[in-house]
Amino acid sequence: MSKRFLRWVGTWIEENIPPGANPDIESHDAKAKRLTEKLFAEALVAGFTSFETDEERERVSPLVQVAVADSTDFNIDAYRLKSELANENEDGD
């Protein structure tokens, strides 16, 4: 377990995943996967070994998932569901 890497991850999440700011129209899962891969790519550039990052991959993915979901983002899945329900009800609500 690399505490140094996990501290770096916490800082990276704070700097790169601001709450409530999702200009992208993508699901939380897709955004979390994309940002997790970006995090690990930047970790290698920051000087962490692949051994350190691979060892912590299972712990980091849920941290990113929580950070992405903890916001007032536009949720494409909720939008689609509401659109389908509005079409079924034919009143637009």
Side-chain angles (χ1 to χ4, degrees):
M1 176 169 67
S2 174
K3 289 185 181 186
R4 181 176 70 96
F5 177 64
L6 290 177
R7 281 192 302 269
W8 182 86
V9 166
T11 302
W12 190 94
I13 288 173
E14 288 176 9
E15 293 174 356
N16 292 282
I17 309 175
N22 185 11
D24 303 325
I25 298 178
E26 64 184 330
S27 69
H28 290 299
D29 291 336
K31 183 176 180 180
K33 288 178 186 175
R34 177 176 57 80
L35 290 174
T36 299
E37 292 308 314
K38 181 179 177 182
L39 180 147
F40 282 107
E42 289 184 20
L44 292 174
V45 172
F48 292 98
T49 65
S50 59
F51 177 75
E52 285 177 297
T53 59
D54 290 343
E55 181 179 56
E56 299 297 338
R57 189 170 285 272
E58 290 181 18
R59 293 181 186 180
V60 171
S61 295
L63 296 174
V64 174
Q65 184 76 27
V66 167
V68 168
D70 185 26
S71 62
T72 57
D73 293 353
F74 177 79
N75 186 332
I76 189 71
D77 297 324
Y79 172 79
R80 288 180 182 149
L81 178 61
K82 288 179 182 180
S83 296
E84 288 176 24
L85 290 173
N87 288 334
E88 288 178 11
N89 293 333
E90 295 183 12
D91 63 358
D93 292 334

